[in-house]
Amino acid sequence: MLIRANNSRAPRSRSSARTSLTTVLLTVLAVLLPAAAAQAAPTAGPPDESRPVYAYDHAVRETIWVDTGLDGDGDGRTDRVAADIIRPREPAEAGDKVPVIMDASPYYACCGRGNESQKKTYDAQGRPVQFPLYYDNYFVPRGYAVVLVDLAGTNRSDGCTDVGGRLDVQSAKSVVDWLNGRARGYASRTSATAVTAGWATGDVGMIGKSYDGTIANGVAATGVEGLRTIVPIGGISSWYDYYFAKGAALFGSGPDGLAALVESPQARSRCQAVQNELVRGAPRNGDWTALWTERDYVKDAGNVQASVFAVHGMQDLNVRTKHLGQWWDALAAHGVERKLWLSQTGHVDPFDFRREAWVSTLHRWFDHYLLGYDNGIEREPAADVERAPDQWTTDTAWPPAGTAGTTLRPAAGPRPGVGTLGLAPAPAGATEAFTDDPALSESDWAAHLDETTPAKTGFVTGPLARDLRLSGSSTVRLTVTPSTSSAHLSAVLVDMGPATIRDYADAAEGITTLPERTCWGSGTTGDTGCFRKTAARTAQVGHTVLSRGWADLDHWASRRHGRPVTPGRPYDITLNLAATDHVVPAGHRLALIVAGTDAGLVEPASTTPHVTVDLARSSATLPFVGGYAAFVRATRGPGGPPAGTRDLLPGLRPVVPPHLP
């Protein structure tokens, strides 16, 4: 079930929502009763659920330009952001108010939203026609307004985008403030006549995938009043961790490249100063700067008053689950109410991998937190996890109770580079080595795990006697000696055994788009609410990478500042691996691979080092459900002790950290 914050607000009273519903139902009954004998009665929905009683084609469609209070483009006047709004007409006519579902995005003009890359469209007078995605079609008839905000510098908004910084976050926060009467809105980009949101209750739920979900995280971290819940899907929690992994660069450019992609043509001409600051503030050496501090929402998790329903693909190699893991843990530390879906996909919206269940769950979530329905969703299991394509399990809490970090040790094996992974430390002086090959990836390493190959070193348990579940984040601590003045490191956890998985390496990252369409809510010619169906795209594999982490050895002492390394000198460094939830089945083996550049994911170092790993001083702390005892049971052979324990002194047990990293 959800964990309730001590200081969390109870959902807003349902009185205004129920008044609106009652008014419209009485009106509808007055019109329809004379013909009732000739019409079938509507199918009753579940109790305590909002129902589609408002006319979508009669909805109010308008654009309000909200003043952000900032002058990002330096033109001498504060910037206004465009908020395209669709809301049911009937409640306003009856004097009732409605809550808001909001998606603030930079992508409405440049790139589109959803699996079909929908963009906003407008009529000849500039009024909004198509609202991307299904939120408007499904929720407006049920008594919600939907507000789609163009972030500063994008589409029809003033100002400049600054990729997760103050300008971006304030773009969305100012709209929440306007909906609560704390900011000024206008009927046009240049109008002097203020427009208020008298039709809104002030209760807002933010939702969105990727950049949009990231902005939801950022706005929640301000603690803005009126934001009742957020639903970040594949969202970033700290922008440094999007572009770097402990100093190692992960993409070919910094935030300036993303800004150039999403900015409107007009913004590109006026926002050079902001672009220059993005370049200066995000050096490609991986050092932490003030720019990253501003874009670190994790540090401000204590401000979050909204509940959080997070969704993430465990194989998302764009916004990796490190973002989910550290955000989830920070929210937990501050008692924030939260719920989680973890899929086997990559960077994919749940509408495209579990559509019917997703829309139903989201409906109940918003009904509870925005309309105040006591539908029990906050008392249901906190986590849904996809175990195999379209096969899901639930957990009361996540990670499950009894999960504990257990320290495993790499040791030399029968052949160079093919070692063991168990509880006993390697003897002093034991080493393995590899030579970085930037052309090879984690898939190449895993495919040749049982072979001596120069570019990696691997450590593996024996076949497991029982299933072994990992749930949460891992750390790998290494002592390594480079042969050159630079080195990049990768640590990868692998389930060695056959499986059917979602094909996250495919361009669609685990789904197949079908030609048939299904409709979700009401529609018009310009906004049908109908979308192409999807199905799981699967692959048969001999191994599954379940978590990975990277680092630049220059940042061995601190991720904030790199320093040159000295060839031939040993260095201690910790790699933080992305959060996961994976069951290694009985008969499979669990492996740890240590190597250099992970091709396609990490940029190579400036040299090609030969790296020696000190096995006696290296370890991996993994979050096993059941902790140390679970690992012992899973690795215990018939009639013998668990793998890797024979060298332990009688009565000696490995060190088990008291909590997860």
Side-chain angles (χ1 to χ4, degrees):
M1 63 182 62
L2 298 176
I3 299 174
R4 185 174 295 279
N6 293 331
N7 62 347
S8 65
R9 301 186 184 93
R12 187 180 179 91
S13 169
R14 286 177 286 175
S15 58
S16 62
R18 290 294 175 81
T19 299
S20 176
L21 241 139
T22 301
T23 301
V24 74
L25 285 175
L26 289 174
T27 302
V28 171
L29 286 172
V31 173
L32 296 183
L33 276 175
Q39 297 185 22
T43 302
D48 266 339
E49 180 179 278
S50 63
R51 298 172 189 172
V53 296
Y54 301 120
Y56 177 80
D57 58 0
H58 193 53
V60 177
R61 293 167 173 83
E62 60 187 339
T63 302
I64 302 297
W65 275 264
V66 177
D67 195 321
T68 68
L70 302 176
D71 181 11
D73 52 18
D75 65 355
R77 67 181 186 89
T78 51
D79 303 325
R80 296 180 181 182
V81 293
D84 290 317
I85 301 167
I86 180 169
R87 54 187 174 89
R89 188 178 299 272
E90 297 91 340
E93 291 176 343
D96 296 326
K97 299 183 179 184
V98 297
V100 168
I101 296 169
M102 188 169 97
D103 187 342
S105 176
Y107 293 137
Y108 287 126
C110 74
C111 314
R113 306 309 298 127
N115 191 37
E116 298 176 48
S117 299
Q118 288 188 325
K119 298 180 181 180
K120 288 181 176 179
T121 63
Y122 305 90
D123 65 16
Q125 288 72 44
R127 293 186 295 260
V129 174
Q130 177 168 273
F131 288 74
L133 304 178
Y134 60 94
Y135 306 138
D136 58 313
N137 309 94
Y138 187 84
F139 285 104
V140 169
R142 288 171 166 80
Y144 294 84
V146 171
V147 178
L148 305 186
V149 181
D150 297 327
L151 293 185
T154 70
N155 201 16
R156 301 200 294 174
S157 289
D158 295 336
C160 305
T161 184
D162 64 351
V163 188
R166 186 170 64 125
L167 302 179
D168 273 9
V169 172
Q170 183 64 16
S171 297
K173 178 181 178 294
S174 64
V175 179
V176 178
D177 285 330
W178 174 70
L179 291 165
N180 283 273
R182 298 187 299 268
R184 295 179 71 85
Y186 301 88
S188 76
R189 206 166 184 169
T190 57
S191 172
T193 304
V195 178
T196 62
W199 48 266
T201 64
D203 293 335
V204 181
M206 291 186 69
I207 189 171
K209 176 193 163 198
S210 196
Y211 204 136
D212 308 14
T214 301
I215 296 302
N217 286 339
V219 174
T222 70
V224 62
E225 185 178 351
L227 183 62
R228 301 298 180 184
T229 190
I230 64 171
V231 185
I233 301 165
I236 294 167
S237 59
S238 173
W239 281 88
Y240 176 90
D241 295 311
Y242 183 72
Y243 286 103
F244 297 97
K246 202 160 192 174
L250 301 179
F251 297 102
S253 68
D256 56 302
L258 183 52
L261 172 68
V262 303
E263 281 178 335
S264 66
Q266 298 81 3
R268 291 191 192 101
S269 65
R270 66 177 183 253
C271 295
Q272 193 57 52
V274 175
Q275 280 273 12
N276 292 342
E277 181 53 36
L278 291 176
V279 174
R280 285 193 299 268
R284 296 301 287 166
N285 61 10
D287 282 357
W288 185 282
T289 64
L291 181 143
W292 301 123
T293 299
E294 180 182 321
R295 291 158 178 78
D296 176 17
Y297 313 135
V298 177
K299 74 180 189 313
D300 296 322
N303 296 332
V304 175
Q305 301 297 310
S307 63
V308 179
F309 185 178
V311 181
H312 223 106
M314 289 184 284
Q315 296 292 358
D316 190 340
L317 298 178
N318 180 357
V319 180
R320 296 154 300 282
T321 52
K322 184 178 192 301
H323 294 275
L324 178 279
Q326 63 193 11
W327 185 232
W328 182 266
D329 290 346
L331 295 172
H334 293 285
V336 175
E337 295 183 22
R338 60 206 189 281
K339 185 176 178 65
L340 174 67
W341 275 20
L342 287 172
S343 76
Q344 281 198 346
T345 66
H347 200 54
V348 180
D349 193 296
F351 188 72
D352 295 317
F353 62 71
R354 201 186 184 194
R355 184 168 296 180
E356 186 172 348
W358 170 246
V359 174
S360 173
T361 304
L362 186 64
H363 180 188
R364 296 177 62 238
W365 185 265
F366 281 145
D367 271 3
H368 178 69
Y369 285 101
L370 298 182
L371 287 176
Y373 285 109
D374 185 14
N375 55 22
I377 195 166
E378 82 282 10
R379 298 184 293 274
E380 294 175 1
D384 282 27
V385 181
E386 189 176 27
R387 294 286 164 220
D390 294 324
Q391 297 179 25
W392 293 78
T393 62
T394 62
D395 288 285
T396 301
W398 194 86
T403 303
T406 300
T407 299
L408 304 185
R409 310 283 182 173
R415 295 182 301 281
V418 183
T420 62
L421 185 66
L423 297 169
T431 63
E432 290 284 5
F434 63 87
T435 300
D436 191 5
D437 185 345
L440 300 181
S441 71
E442 58 191 37
S443 296
D444 300 309
W445 304 330
H448 300 280
L449 179 68
D450 295 320
E451 306 170 26
T452 299
T453 56
K456 63 96 177 76
T457 183
F459 310 94
V460 62
T461 68
L464 300 182
R466 300 188 184 189
D467 293 354
L468 182 62
R469 179 180 175 186
L470 293 85
S471 184
S473 304
S474 303
T475 58
V476 174
R477 298 172 176 85
L478 300 173
T479 297
V480 296
T481 302
S483 65
T484 61
S485 59
S486 69
H488 285 177
L489 300 171
S490 298
V492 180
L493 294 176
V494 187
D495 175 347
M496 297 299 298
T500 301
I501 65 168
R502 284 189 182 262
D503 189 6
Y504 67 88
D506 177 75
E509 301 186 60
I511 63 169
T512 295
T513 302
L514 306 173
E516 300 84 9
R517 291 183 177 272
T518 56
C519 300
W520 295 85
S522 303
T524 62
T525 302
D527 192 333
T528 65
C530 301
F531 302 86
R532 293 177 66 179
K533 295 173 66 174
T534 64
R537 185 179 184 90
T538 63
Q540 304 294 320
V541 296
H543 62 267
T544 305
V545 174
L546 56 108
S547 186
R548 68 276 283 171
W550 310 285
D552 183 341
L553 190 57
D554 286 0
H555 287 69
W556 63 273
S558 168
R559 75 170 179 175
R560 293 185 174 268
H561 301 289
R563 61 184 71 174
V565 298
T566 301
R569 175 187 164 184
Y571 293 90
D572 298 324
I573 189 168
T574 298
L575 281 67
N576 298 301
L577 277 60
T580 190
D581 196 303
H582 183 90
V583 176
V584 184
H588 289 205
R589 298 174 295 158
L590 174 63
L592 167 67
I593 297 174
V594 177
T597 302
D598 195 345
L601 297 173
V602 180
E603 294 181 20
S606 58
T607 63
T608 305
H610 183 76
V611 179
T612 301
V613 182
D614 185 333
L615 300 182
R617 296 171 60 186
S618 297
S619 63
T621 302
L622 310 185
F624 294 129
V625 178
Y628 167 84
F631 181 79
V632 169
R633 287 192 296 268
T635 56
R636 188 184 301 277
T645 61
R646 290 180 173 82
D647 294 332
L648 289 175
L649 296 174
L652 181 64
R653 294 172 66 86
V655 175
V656 180
H659 53 76
L660 288 174

